[in-house]
Amino acid sequence: MTAPDGWDVVPPRGTTAVDAREARITSDSAGAGMQAAGAAPAGRPAPQYGEYAPEGWVNPVLVEQERQEREDRERAAASAGPGTARGSGRSAVRTRPPATADRTGQGAPATGDPSTVRRLGASPVDVLLTFVLLGMGLVSVIQSLSIGSVASTVREQLELTYTALEDPGALSGAAMVSSVVMLVVFALVLWWSVVRLRAGRRSFWVPLLGGAVATLLSAVVFAAVVFQDDGFVAVLMRQASGG
């Protein structure tokens, strides 16, 4: 509405002439829509400018906004698929929270968080020593696979220290058994070292222990062969008796 002098005039609040109450829409279709939206019944006084709302008065604008929000949530729940749980007449949609913990109750670590990355070994020095000792053990295992060379070396040492064996060929069998023993021990040491490194535990002593065990078993194998040689046993007994 425009006044004669060009200014816009705000239309006055529609009230009745009897009790000065707020005017209500009286058409059947509009009145049904307002009642469905939860509007207050007609006849309750509307708050004037600067006044508090009277008891029981409901702002129809807020009621309409709540109705629109409720319809939006229901449409979103209907289009979300089977992953959301919804019920008739509910104003909020419940969704299943994402599973962040396994059956043990421990949350799955975030792959992008550097604080959750498991450290290899107890320390960088421990990792370095472990790999160096494993490398030395691998070299020893490769050398033990040369059965003829190992048997020849042991025979020469025995001849220089004690005496020549009556059956030097038996050392070849001992060298073969020793190489198998060292290969098995190295495989076990390698597996155990990797497990401890991945667990972040100190591991450098594992190759040391494996090397000691492999050396002891190889010595037992060669000793079992050498002490079956009659000439070696006779020389050893003369040296022990002082003859």
Side-chain angles (χ1 to χ4, degrees):
M1 180 182 298
T2 305
D5 55 357
W7 291 88
D8 292 336
V9 177
V10 179
R13 179 187 299 273
T15 57
T16 62
V18 178
D19 54 359
R21 297 180 181 274
E22 182 180 5
R24 303 293 178 178
I25 302 174
T26 57
S27 63
D28 295 338
S29 60
M34 293 298 293
Q35 292 296 333
R44 292 184 180 179
Q48 302 296 327
Y49 181 78
E51 293 181 348
Y52 289 104
E55 182 179 359
W57 184 83
V58 179
N59 191 342
V61 177
L62 296 180
V63 173
E64 181 66 18
Q65 291 179 355
E66 292 179 359
R67 185 182 67 83
Q68 292 291 339
E69 292 177 358
R70 183 168 59 251
E71 292 180 355
D72 293 341
R73 287 195 297 266
E74 291 177 356
R75 283 194 297 269
S79 61
T84 54
R86 57 187 180 276
S88 59
R90 296 181 181 178
S91 60
V93 179
R94 295 182 179 179
T95 58
R96 183 178 181 182
T100 56
D102 54 11
R103 295 182 179 179
T104 60
Q106 299 178 354
T111 56
D113 189 1
S115 61
T116 60
V117 178
R118 184 174 296 177
R119 184 175 61 181
L120 183 64
S123 64
V125 177
D126 176 68
V127 176
L128 179 61
L129 288 177
T130 302
F131 280 109
V132 169
L133 293 173
L134 287 175
M136 295 174 61
L138 180 60
V139 172
S140 299
V141 171
I142 294 175
Q143 291 177 350
S144 67
L145 295 178
S146 181
I147 298 174
S149 177
V150 173
S152 177
T153 302
V154 174
R155 181 176 58 82
E156 292 176 358
Q157 292 295 328
L158 291 175
E159 290 177 354
L160 291 175
T161 306
Y162 299 100
T163 183
L165 298 179
E166 295 181 356
D167 184 15
L171 294 176
S172 298
M176 181 180 298
V177 175
S178 176
S179 65
V180 173
V181 169
M182 293 187 66
L183 184 60
V184 172
V185 172
F186 178 78
L188 294 176
V189 168
L190 179 61
W191 169 78
W192 194 11
S193 299
V194 171
V195 170
R196 292 185 64 88
L197 286 173
R198 294 183 61 182
R201 304 174 66 180
R202 198 175 303 277
S203 309
F204 76 93
W205 58 270
V206 177
L208 292 176
L209 178 61
V213 171
T215 302
L216 178 62
L217 293 178
S218 298
V220 170
V221 171
F222 280 103
V225 173
V226 169
F227 277 96
Q228 291 179 0
D229 188 88
D230 295 337
F232 176 81
V233 173
V235 172
L236 191 62
M237 292 182 63
R238 284 199 305 267
Q239 291 181 355
S241 62

